[in-house]
């Protein structure tokens, strides 16, 4: 399943909005692989550098904002998992937080669908992307794992849980 197919699906959650298109670059040398680049609308800021997070001593985020961000995140991951696709790259580079308009609820967007689609298609061993703040402890060493769908879903679930704690705990 390709990103275009996912985005065009009528059940696609709002967290994947903003996809503009993809570009394929042919391999330059026979030993190279072809590359794909995906374009997304500029939206918000990376989750870790979002300027709207409350600082020490400030009021926490409104419950409405926390709930919307959590719904966006869980909805996106559930959408992929229901299609047999782990994301595996949920981190500060792929999660963006912002408001669609001033005063509107805080929203989360996921940039891309991660490594899951290509790994599932390959059905081979791979090295887990290392994003220490969100990665399950058993794979922090950059462990090479065999494509094992339940384990890959568990890695995404750990990441979702980590982000939930970050949002709920303030």
């Amino acid at each position: 399943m390709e990103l275009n197919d996912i985005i065009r699906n009528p059940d696609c959650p709002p967290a994947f909005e903003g996809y503009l298109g993809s570009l394929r670059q042919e391999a330059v040398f026979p030993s190279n692989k072809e590359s794909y680049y995906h374009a997304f609308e500029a939206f918000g800021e990376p989750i870790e550098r979002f300027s709207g997070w409350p600082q020490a001593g400030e009021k926490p985020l409104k419950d409405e904002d926390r709930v919307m961000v959590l719904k966006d995140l869980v909805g996106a991951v559930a959408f992929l998992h229901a299609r047999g696709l782990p994301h595996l790259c949920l981190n500060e580079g792929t999660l963006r937080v912002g408001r669609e308009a001033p005063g509107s609820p805080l929203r989360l967007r996921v940039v891309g669908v991660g490594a899951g689609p290509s790994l599932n298609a390959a059905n081979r061993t791979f090295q887990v992307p290392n994003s220490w703040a969100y990665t399950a402890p058993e794979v922090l060493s950059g462990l090479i794992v065999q494509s094992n769908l339940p384990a890959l879903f568990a890695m995404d679930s750990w990441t979702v849980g980590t982000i939930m704690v970050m949002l709920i705990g303030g």
Side-chain angles (χ1 to χ4, degrees):
M1 181 175 275
E2 293 191 19
L3 186 56
N4 278 324
D5 300 327
I6 291 170
I7 301 303
R8 279 189 251 137
N9 185 312
D11 298 325
C12 186
F16 288 119
E17 288 178 0
Y19 171 70
L20 299 173
S22 297
L23 170 70
R24 183 174 64 95
Q25 179 181 339
E26 297 287 334
V28 177
F29 299 103
S31 61
N32 291 1
K33 296 180 187 176
E34 60 186 17
S35 300
Y36 290 88
Y37 299 94
H38 308 291
F40 288 82
E41 292 175 355
F43 177 81
E45 300 168 271
I47 193 166
E48 286 189 3
R49 296 191 307 255
F50 176 60
S51 58
W53 295 134
Q55 301 300 313
E58 293 180 351
K59 289 183 180 180
L61 284 175
K62 292 185 215 171
D63 287 344
E64 175 187 16
D65 287 332
R66 291 181 198 208
V67 168
M68 287 306 297
V69 170
L70 292 173
K71 282 173 100 173
D72 287 342
L73 176 62
V74 171
V77 173
F79 178 81
L80 292 176
H81 286 195
R83 285 149 185 78
L85 300 170
H87 191 285
L88 303 176
C89 295
L90 294 166
N91 58 44
E92 67 281 353
T94 61
L95 299 174
R96 300 189 63 86
V97 179
R99 298 183 191 281
E100 293 173 356
S104 67
L106 199 58
R107 301 304 301 254
L108 177 134
R109 293 246 179 109
V110 180
V111 177
V113 292
S118 59
L119 293 175
N120 274 0
N123 195 20
R124 60 179 172 76
T125 58
F126 63 93
Q127 186 158 3
V128 175
N130 198 352
S131 179
W132 73 269
Y134 305 101
T135 303
E138 60 270 20
V139 294
L140 280 175
S141 64
L143 178 73
I144 296 178
V145 297
Q146 177 67 36
S147 294
N148 172 342
L149 206 50
L152 302 179
F153 287 162
M155 288 180 205
D156 278 352
S157 298
W158 175 276
T159 301
V160 168
T162 301
I163 294 166
M164 290 174 106
V165 167
M166 184 174 85
L167 288 169
I168 293 169

